[in-house]
Amino acid sequence: MHKLAVDLGVSIKLASKVTSYDVHRPSITLAKGSIVHADLVIAADGVNSSTRKILLGGKESLLQRTGFSAYRAVVDIERI
């Protein structure tokens, strides 16, 4: 996904702590004070997401079961 995004011209910023989100104008504010506007903001910070809490106005939201499962594996390319 990273390679495709870069190939399509997406700007990726690493080591940039996000302190707030604006859901009405897709944008984020970084810890150093800069604001980044985008067509889409993807917050992929996992199960213990701090983003979810920020977007819900500080409220906790328990995860909900979807009935789906995801698996990840590493396989030697020679065995495929």
Side-chain angles (χ1 to χ4, degrees):
M1 188 176 349
H2 176 268
K3 181 178 179 340
L4 178 59
V6 171
D7 290 348
L8 291 172
V10 172
S11 172
I12 298 174
K13 294 185 180 231
L14 302 175
S16 301
K17 182 176 175 142
V18 176
T19 58
S20 68
Y21 297 83
D22 183 339
V23 296
H24 303 291
R25 289 183 66 196
S27 64
I28 58 173
T29 302
L30 301 177
K32 294 185 178 181
S34 61
I35 298 174
V36 181
H37 297 275
D39 295 323
L40 173 69
V41 174
I42 299 173
D45 56 346
V47 174
N48 298 312
S49 172
S50 60
T51 304
R52 184 173 47 250
K53 194 171 184 178
I54 291 169
L55 293 175
L56 294 174
K59 298 175 188 170
E60 279 293 328
S61 173
L62 299 176
L63 298 177
Q64 298 177 359
R65 291 191 178 271
T66 63
F68 296 103
S69 295
Y71 297 93
R72 190 178 351 190
V74 177
V75 180
D76 183 354
I77 193 72
E78 298 300 322
R79 299 190 73 185
I80 295 181

